[in-house]
Amino acid sequence: MRKRMRTTAVAAVAVALSAALAAPAVAAAPGADRAGGTGDHAAAARAVRAVVEGGVPGVTLRAEDRRGPWSTTAGVGNLRTERPRSTLDRYRVGSITKTFVATVLLQLEAEGTLSLDDTVDSWLPGLVTGNGHNGTRITLRQLLNHTSGIFNYTADEDFGRTYFLKEGFLEHRYDTLAPEDLVRVATSHKPDFEPGAGWNYSNTNYVLAGMVIEKATGRPYGEEIRRRVIAPLHLTGTSVPGTRTGVPGPSSRAYGKLTVDGSGPVLDVTRLNPSMASSAGEMISDSKDLNRFYRALLTGRLLPRTQLDEMTDTVAVDGTHAYGLGLMRTELSCGVTVWGHGGGIHGSTSDAVTTRDGRHSLALNFNGDWTGNTETVIDAEYCGD
């Protein structure tokens, strides 16, 4: 993982930075300032153009602050037709899914259905066991803040070859995997550390969290997200696809190289069965919805104060990043702090952040997964030049 943590369902694959694409032409979004943004957004507009010049096929971005919404795009959404990206694009959001999952679990705690101090085994008896894993000693809180020590199933070499590298992906991209299958991959390894004794990002934690939601409610985690978050907030571009292989329109194509070092030809990886990511990273959304979601979350519309305080109680990751319960805190170069999550899955790299008061939000997506850094764009939006 890179400095800001590559919080993705495909983090096991090392995607080295590469400028292998000839930079596509920059396309301004409808309604955007074609001279390069307006006012405080000018630096972000330049940063978006820079990542496309560096090899990202296309970018879509939406920011919202006291002046209102501002959107821009650069590059293309389809390399074959050179159709530009749209500010309305829906895209796979990868590990941003984790914030939605954590929100539902915290709602269930607020309702008295469960406690974050419950053990995993009390909800999923006998599932987390083997090679030193012990679900009787791991709490739901430790799942959500990545202090469980449970091995990250996407770091398994066989899983990576089968689902992330070219030959395996092209053969298995439409496979359906059950959450239990993903947990078994994880527990075939030793834990990273004793529960609570360290921090390590593990997608397995959120596969288990989704399973707990289903056990506690009697409904699939995706249905609970729709009932509790998507519908109340009117997130019309957001969905939990399950095993559906396409991305609803409007959307762009998604591109990857599916190699360890980021070399080789660019492949269209838009269609896949997202059950390989499950509740760790399968969702689809758009930039407007993501801004609305994080703004509602941080301003208390989705959680009572007690649960929001729990969510924002963080574990230090490095000098500028800390992780709460499905929520990342990042200190930018100018001292501004933003909250949100990043995420990626084949051909899609996304980020969504907001200030703690919800007054300045940003969501963006790259439709390529081998190059570019979303944090440079975030820093430009909040810190300018």
Side-chain angles (χ1 to χ4, degrees), residues 156-169 172:
D156 177 85
E157 290 184 8
D158 287 340
F159 192 91
R161 281 192 295 269
T162 303
Y163 295 104
F164 302 145
L165 299 183
K166 181 179 177 180
E167 289 75 14
F169 173 80
H172 295 282

Side-chain angles (χ1 to χ4, degrees), residues 3-90:
K3 177 73 171 174
R4 63 168 294 277
M5 278 202 335
R6 195 173 183 87
T7 54
T8 76
V10 294
V13 181
V15 283
L17 298 183
S18 170
L21 279 183
V26 174
D33 177 3
R34 294 177 183 271
T38 58
D40 294 344
H41 304 297
R46 288 193 295 272
V48 164
R49 291 197 297 271
V51 296
V52 170
E53 290 164 3
V56 173
V59 181
T60 184
L61 173 152
R62 179 182 173 99
E64 299 181 45
D65 60 16
R66 57 181 167 46
R67 297 177 181 86
W70 173 82
S71 298
T72 193
T73 67
V76 297
N78 187 313
L79 289 171
R80 182 179 58 83
T81 65
E82 297 188 346
R83 174 175 55 83
R85 292 215 65 178
S86 167
T87 58
L88 303 178
D89 270 355
R90 298 175 184 180

Side-chain angles (χ1 to χ4, degrees), residues 225-239:
I225 287 177
R226 284 187 287 269
R227 239 174 30 92
R228 294 167 172 272
V229 181
I230 293 174
L233 294 181
H234 305 289
L235 305 181
T236 56
T238 303
S239 59

Side-chain angles (χ1 to χ4, degrees), residues 349-360:
T349 305
S350 309
D351 232 311
V353 296
T354 189
T355 50
R356 185 64 179 81
D357 60 10
R359 293 181 180 177
H360 190 173

